[in-house]
Amino acid sequence: MKLSEAAAQLGCHIETLRLRVRRGELPARRGPHGTYYIANSVLVGLAPPLRPGRRELDLDLLEWTWDGLAQRAEDLGAGDHELELIDRIRWQPELSPELHRLLTVQRLRLAGVSSGQIAGLVGVSDRQVRRLSRRRLVDALEDAGERLRRRAQVAELTRARRLVRELERRLEEAGLASHRRRRRRGDWGTPPGGRVRAFRVWKIDAEMARHLRAVGVSDEQMEAIRLVGIGADEVNALLLAGLRQGPGD
């Protein structure tokens, strides 16, 4: 009989039986259109899944649902990035607590856990569990992945600006006076109302990099310059210092 018919007789979700088949716990064969079938003799000896509400739920025994969720996402068309994200969130839930909550709800639903019990475990209402259960899994992964990418970009820019500010501060303390202009929209590095560097440089070629290293500018700092730029007067001062040291220094 079809797996859906067997699930109806046992009183469980069809996905519960599908996962048993994938784990090799339930012998089945696939029909021409991918439908699973099991023999009547197998169904006779198959115990109905215990209702989660009638027993204490052991989450450690449901770790397999992460693999089941990844398989479901792949079946729904998720790409490598989305599948990798499931694994990242599994081990680093702090990256996106919202996505971890959604994935937890959906993976526990695969195991037939009731909405009420999931609500108690996750700390949300039954209504919220039902809403998260209906959320399109692949869409949720794509949205969360985009948010994480934007967050990483912001963190990278913030770090790069910190490194460049430190370079510029050191040069100011050494007596460099750079050309300034009135602050405009999109400028950074100066409090509102202040004046910013008139010209910035982003490009650093191999020859420039050699001279910058000679005066102690690290590869990390040069990558920050390529990302957010540095004052033209500052980079010129650094290059001149590097040239004065000479190739043998």
Side-chain angles (χ1 to χ4, degrees), residues 12-233:
C12 66
H13 197 281
I14 184 174
E15 194 65 31
T16 302
L17 298 187
R18 283 200 188 109
L19 289 168
R20 289 187 179 184
V21 171
R22 291 168 185 152
R23 297 200 307 270
E25 299 173 358
L26 180 62
R29 64 178 179 84
R30 300 196 78 163
H33 301 293
T35 303
Y36 284 114
Y37 291 85
I38 64 172
N40 290 328
S41 58
V42 172
L43 181 63
V44 170
L46 191 63
L50 292 175
R51 297 286 183 182
R54 299 177 186 173
R55 59 181 170 86
E56 188 68 25
L57 187 64
D58 188 348
L59 284 178
D60 289 339
L61 297 178
L62 294 175
E63 281 298 297
W64 58 266
T65 56
W66 283 105
D67 296 327
L69 188 67
Q71 182 61 59
R72 179 166 180 262
E74 188 174 10
D75 292 343
L76 292 171
D80 291 342
H81 290 300
E82 287 72 42
L83 298 177
E84 289 170 6
L85 182 56
I86 291 177
D87 194 54
R88 286 179 63 199
I89 295 301
R90 175 181 182 178
W91 302 112
Q92 296 178 278
E94 68 278 3
L95 289 177
S96 177
E98 299 83 3
L99 180 60
H100 184 266
R101 185 182 303 116
L102 182 143
L103 297 180
T104 298
V105 168
Q106 296 211 2
R107 73 182 179 87
L108 293 180
R109 291 299 290 160
L110 291 179
V113 182
S114 69
S115 295
Q117 195 162 10
I118 293 174
L121 289 168
V122 178
V124 298
S125 66
D126 287 11
R127 180 179 179 182
Q128 179 76 342
V129 169
R130 291 192 294 272
R131 187 185 70 79
L132 293 173
S133 298
R134 293 192 299 268
R135 180 83 191 275
R136 292 179 181 272
L137 179 58
V138 177
D139 289 348
L141 289 168
E142 290 175 346
D143 292 345
E146 182 59 30
R147 286 195 299 271
L148 288 173
R149 281 190 289 274
R150 287 199 299 267
R151 189 186 306 168
Q153 289 171 352
V154 170
E156 186 179 15
L157 286 172
T158 300
R159 184 167 172 277
R161 288 170 176 169
R162 178 178 56 79
L163 290 170
V164 170
R165 282 194 192 102
E166 178 60 22
L167 270 177
E168 293 174 338
R169 183 187 63 78
R170 281 168 42 196
L171 290 165
E172 285 179 357
E173 291 176 351
L176 178 68
S178 59
H179 290 79
R180 302 282 178 143
R181 61 168 172 78
R182 186 173 298 174
R183 184 183 177 90
R184 293 196 294 257
R185 189 184 199 85
D187 287 332
W188 65 271
T190 303
R195 296 178 68 82
V196 301
R197 286 160 180 82
F199 306 101
R200 300 196 75 83
V201 173
W202 284 265
K203 185 176 179 180
I204 298 177
D205 59 27
E207 184 68 13
M208 293 171 64
R210 184 169 66 84
H211 295 303
L212 291 175
R213 288 191 188 96
V215 291
V217 179
S218 67
D219 290 343
E220 184 181 33
Q221 289 169 322
M222 282 188 276
E223 190 56 39
I225 292 171
R226 292 186 182 101
L227 190 60
V228 300
I230 190 172
D233 293 318

